[in-house]
Amino acid sequence: MSECYEYVPHRLLYRRVRDIASGVEGVLMAVINENVSDTGIERWMELAYIRGASGREFTTAVANVEPALDQPQTAVGRRDERSA
């Protein structure tokens, strides 16, 4: 198995997210393109590393990551609401 991996940029890095597969919320710490195969044939997948409330990190597919509902609004979001 190849030990190569690559960090991937993501719009929700270091933000509070929810794993839709498990319902667990935490902070998205990294997105890494990893070889997840345990055979000789490589199988690459983008995995999200989420740090839960306990401090332990778990992985899930990037497609399972969504912003947590309790996200604070940004200054831009508040400014847009006032101008509407």
Side-chain angles (χ1 to χ4, degrees):
M1 179 170 132
S2 174
E3 295 299 326
C4 295
Y5 58 89
E6 174 184 22
Y7 284 89
V8 178
H10 194 278
R11 66 184 178 88
L12 296 174
L13 271 177
Y14 309 113
R15 306 271 318 259
R16 190 154 183 77
V17 296
R18 185 172 78 92
D19 171 24
I20 60 174
S22 67
V24 177
E25 292 187 3
V27 176
L28 180 62
M29 301 307 294
V31 175
I32 301 177
N33 190 26
E34 290 187 45
N35 178 9
V36 295
S37 174
D38 59 355
T39 66
I41 301 169
E42 291 185 354
R43 181 170 173 252
W44 292 86
M45 182 175 180
E46 286 187 358
L47 293 177
Y49 283 75
I50 300 172
R51 182 173 294 161
S54 68
R56 295 187 70 175
E57 291 184 11
F58 64 94
T59 60
T60 189
V62 171
N64 290 341
V65 175
E66 66 180 14
L69 296 177
D70 63 347
Q71 286 291 317
Q73 288 185 319
T74 64
V76 172
R78 286 191 297 267
R79 204 174 316 125
D80 290 343
E81 286 176 9
R82 279 184 270 172
S83 63

